[in-house]
Amino acid sequence: MYVLGLNLIHATSAALIKDGKIIGAVEEERFNRQKHSEKFPTQSIQWLLKSEGITLKDIEHIVTSFDFDLFKDNEHPFEYNTICHDDSNLAGTNKIRADNQMLYLQVKREMEKNGISNWIGINHHLAHAAGTYYLSDFDECNILVIDGRGESTAVSLMHGKDGKIEVLEEYPIKDSLGHLYSYATHICGLYSNIGQEGKTMGLAPYGSPSPDLEMIFNKIVEYADNRYSINREEMRKLEQYKHPTGKIDNVSKSLAYHVQRTYENILLFLARNLYNKTGCTKFALSGGVSLNCEGNRLLLNQSFVDEIYVQPAANDGGTAVGAALYWYAKTTGLRPPKQEDVYFGPEYTNEEIENVLSLYKIAYKKVVHPEKIAAELLSNGNIIGWFQGRMEYGPRALGNRSILADPRTLEMKDKVNKFVKFREMWRPFAPSILSEAISDYFTKVYESPHMNISFLTKTEMQEYIPASIHIDGTARVQTVTKEKNKKYYNLINNFREITGVPVILNTSFNGADPVVCTPADALRAFYSSGLDALVIRDFVVTKSDEIAIEA
């Protein structure tokens, strides 16, 4: 049975499952090159169908991760109690999609344009929940969904057991943690476009407590009857600290510090309440806010938490998979089969890549062991683009569409930020580490293959990987195993054999645009940045004749 899952609101995406197994999943931005694209995922659907060799007629169920039927008669205002990222007066209504009937008709029109007449919409938070519960492989777990908003909900506490999902408690949109965090990001001067909240998380360790801001945030969040609420009137008081975009000072840093601490406090409050309801010590998280890796670290360290799973594509892009998995489970009564992979995107053969290299008249060398060549390049101080296998699903680069560098000198962090990523110099990078070595470098460790949890670096090990740890000594770690990504594992292992360090600096293969998808994307990113070399499947491209490559 084929099920096609679609996310049509923000970070639009599509996912195809067959008998409960994910065949492919991708965000539309990877094809149309528009970051956080809101365009209908036409190209994503076409790629999925083509890669499986089927047509829409072969799809038995098409499911969207939003219940658009609620908007037919404008009964549930889509933007009710929403704070726009640039709505400084906190008016309570975002005018971007004020007419909900128009939104419904727009979706219906796009569906029909793409040959889709019969489709089902499910609750947005259920799509988030299914995406993390069924991929977690937990039989029973607590499910926390935290995002900007669903149809009428911003936070959901659920319980997964025996393949079923039960909603236990919900918070309305006015109490959205996503909106609070986004608004603080805007006030900080960090909001140039959607999806900048990660900058605030990165800036927070540079900040220090401010008595005035602490007083405001203590009034913004109110606790009563074992629930929290957000006082939007108190949020207005943050307006006096508003910074122009890009103007970061100590006040900005303190704002980031306080909104991060506020989020962490509420996250632990919610998690404890959920634990008290179920007695379960396993947690599965989803929703864009749950990509907050520092919050996840603190949650994992709680006495009532034994295991944690954060969906790799916890943002809205991942709800396409969640919608498809939920509907499969609902219609068959079966739990989707275990599936640990996250590489669900397009893949390109050597022949396809060589055709592109020849078309652009680019000099290249074909090599037998690209992992070994890449390790040698990295150990010699080169920054490389690494393009291998199927593209990752979700916002994190996990070793198939990555920019890699040597983590052993702090100067490398500055070089990658300035010459390759073209971003703020304080922004941190992640370490990819051989799974068996994680306890040598970090404390209170846990498997983290999707780079969604941070860990504290051991004091004595910080001098060995300074470019891949943050100012507070934490790092958003990716653990790498041979079973899940053999080629990437071999690269890091080869680097370890050369340097003695089983860690490399990893960041997504992109600049301001989306992560690269195709060989042509990789070449454009390579030649428009300060990358020294590109290792693209079995081919190596360099910008300097001084870089010697052995076949």
Side-chain angles (χ1 to χ4, degrees):
M1 179 177 74
Y2 285 109
V3 182
L4 179 66
L6 301 175
N7 167 50
L8 305 177
I9 290 292
H10 166 63
T12 57
S13 58
L16 181 66
I17 69 171
K18 180 181 181 182
D19 299 330
K21 182 178 180 180
I22 302 170
I23 300 298
V26 64
E27 291 184 38
E28 186 70 4
E29 68 164 24
R30 304 298 172 90
F31 291 114
N32 67 20
R33 313 308 298 160
Q34 298 174 17
K35 202 161 189 179
H36 310 300
S37 176
E38 296 189 359
K39 299 289 181 63
F40 193 88
T42 302
Q43 295 182 72
S44 299
I45 295 170
Q46 290 173 346
W47 171 74
L48 288 167
L49 297 177
K50 182 179 179 181
S51 62
E52 185 64 7
I54 61 175
T55 69
L56 278 174
K57 294 180 181 179
D58 298 304
I59 305 293
E60 295 177 60
H61 303 283
I62 298 175
V63 191
T64 68
S65 61
F66 227 100
D67 189 354
F68 291 102
D69 282 345
L70 293 176
F71 305 143
K72 280 183 179 179
D73 302 315
N74 225 19
E75 293 178 354
H76 295 262
F78 182 77
E79 300 298 343
Y80 176 69
N81 269 328
T82 297
I83 292 180
C84 182
H85 305 301
D86 58 359
D87 183 5
S88 59
N89 62 13
L90 302 184
T93 300
N94 180 342
K95 300 300 183 183
I96 294 176
R97 296 192 184 96
D99 188 337
N100 303 298
Q101 282 182 315
M102 188 66 72
L103 174 62
Y104 170 78
L105 292 173
Q106 177 185 337
V107 169
K108 185 173 183 292
R109 184 169 58 250
E110 290 290 343
M111 286 287 205
E112 292 171 349
K113 186 191 301 182
N114 285 270
I116 301 172
S117 56
N118 297 317
W119 48 285
I120 307 112
I122 70 166
N123 178 275
H124 185 63
H125 276 207
L126 275 178
H128 270 304
T132 190
Y133 175 45
Y134 294 131
L135 290 178
S136 72
D137 196 43
F138 294 150
D139 177 61
E140 180 183 4
C141 68
N142 302 309
I143 305 171
L144 264 175
V145 177
I146 308 174
D147 65 358
R149 61 156 299 150
E151 294 85 352
S152 59
T153 306
V155 175
S156 295
L157 281 64
M158 306 187 194
H159 182 223
K161 185 176 182 181
D162 299 330
K164 309 294 183 184
I165 298 173
E166 179 187 6
V167 179
L168 301 179
E169 190 174 359
E170 296 177 322
Y171 284 78
I173 295 165
K174 74 177 187 65
D175 297 323
S176 171
L177 292 180
H179 291 165
L180 172 61
Y181 210 98
S182 293
Y183 189 69
T185 298
H186 167 64
I187 296 296
C188 282
L190 291 172
Y191 228 109
S192 55
N193 53 60
I194 289 174
Q196 304 295 296
E197 291 82 5
K199 290 186 179 182
T200 306
M201 182 179 67
L203 185 64
Y206 290 90
S208 55
S210 160
D212 292 340
L213 285 172
E214 184 173 8
M215 185 178 301
I216 293 174
F217 275 97
N218 284 342
K219 291 181 179 179
I220 289 174
V221 182
E222 302 170 341
Y223 294 91
D225 301 323
N226 214 30
R227 286 174 64 89
Y228 83 88
S229 62
I230 291 178
N231 188 323
R232 300 253 173 159
E233 292 299 317
E234 291 295 330
M235 283 179 68
R236 296 176 187 272
K237 295 179 180 178
L238 292 178
E239 180 65 20
Q240 63 187 296
Y241 299 100
K242 184 177 179 181
H243 285 60
T245 299
K247 301 295 183 182
I248 308 300
D249 60 13
N250 288 335
V251 176
S252 300
K253 296 172 184 177
S254 289
L255 275 162
Y257 170 89
H258 281 286
V259 74
Q260 176 66 22
R261 296 291 88 76
T262 299
Y263 166 69
E264 293 167 358
N265 290 338
I266 298 176
L267 171 66
L268 299 185
F269 172 81
L270 292 169
R272 183 173 290 279
N273 284 351
L274 188 48
Y275 164 73
N276 289 337
K277 291 176 185 292
T278 67
C280 185
T281 58
K282 298 178 181 179
F283 284 78
L285 278 66
S286 189
V289 184
S290 66
L291 290 169
N292 191 301
C293 59
E294 184 62 12
N296 297 338
R297 178 177 76 88
L298 295 176
L299 177 60
L300 183 60
N301 289 338
Q302 299 305 301
S303 61
F304 59 90
V305 179
D306 288 335
E307 296 184 65
I308 184 175
Y309 178 85
V310 184
Q311 196 208 17
N315 61 335
D316 276 2
T319 59
V321 160
L325 293 176
Y326 175 83
W327 198 252
Y328 170 82
K330 180 180 175 65
T331 55
T332 65
L334 301 172
R335 177 170 179 144
K338 180 179 179 180
Q339 194 167 356
E340 296 181 350
D341 202 355
V342 72
Y343 304 100
F344 297 134
E347 182 176 17
Y348 299 88
T349 64
N350 272 337
E351 182 181 6
E352 289 172 317
I353 293 169
E354 193 164 22
N355 287 339
V356 174
L357 292 169
S358 299
L359 177 66
Y360 292 155
K361 298 181 180 179
I362 292 172
Y364 61 89
K365 181 171 286 188
K366 189 173 184 180
V367 298
V368 178
H369 300 292
E371 308 99 313
K372 182 179 178 181
I373 298 299
E376 291 171 351
L377 287 167
L378 291 171
S379 66
N380 289 325
N382 295 291
I383 306 170
I384 71 170
W386 177 252
F387 185 106
Q388 304 291 331
R390 295 189 69 176
M391 182 177 65
E392 304 91 332
Y393 185 48
R396 311 296 194 210
L398 300 174
N400 280 11
R401 300 291 188 275
S402 291
I403 290 171
L404 307 177
D406 188 337
R408 293 177 297 164
T409 64
L410 189 59
E411 291 77 17
M412 183 58 75
K413 170 180 172 288
D414 294 337
K415 286 178 64 176
V416 178
N417 268 328
K418 183 176 182 179
F419 299 115
V420 179
K421 298 292 283 188
F422 306 114
R423 65 183 198 179
E424 298 90 347
M425 299 299 285
W426 47 266
R427 299 275 296 279
F429 294 106
S432 292
I433 184 171
L434 299 181
S435 180
E436 61 268 26
I438 185 174
S439 60
D440 296 333
Y441 282 77
F442 302 97
T443 65
K444 298 182 179 179
V445 296
Y446 190 78
E447 280 296 310
S448 180
H450 305 138
M451 207 188 288
N452 282 328
I453 308 172
S454 64
F455 301 96
L456 189 64
T457 314
K458 290 183 176 180
T459 304
E460 66 272 20
M461 304 306 289
Q462 292 185 15
E463 64 179 292
Y464 295 102
I465 54 171
S468 62
I469 59 177
H470 207 13
I471 188 174
D472 59 354
T474 62
R476 189 183 68 200
V477 177
Q478 178 196 6
T479 52
V480 182
T481 64
K482 185 176 291 187
E483 293 75 23
K484 292 183 180 178
N485 195 327
K486 183 178 180 180
K487 187 170 284 190
Y488 194 41
Y489 178 93
N490 288 341
L491 187 163
I492 303 172
N493 194 42
N494 285 327
F495 183 79
R496 178 193 61 79
E497 291 176 353
I498 297 170
T499 66
V501 176
V503 181
I504 56 175
L505 181 155
N506 176 17
T507 187
S508 55
F509 196 166
N510 68 318
D513 53 341
V515 175
V516 303
C517 175
T518 68
D521 296 337
L523 288 168
R524 280 191 290 269
F526 175 62
Y527 283 108
S528 61
S529 72
L531 285 170
D532 298 301
L534 170 63
V535 183
I536 180 166
R537 197 141 185 165
D538 293 340
F539 304 98
V540 181
V541 181
T542 64
K543 294 176 181 174
S544 171
D545 294 335
E546 296 178 1
I547 300 178
I549 304 296
E550 294 182 7

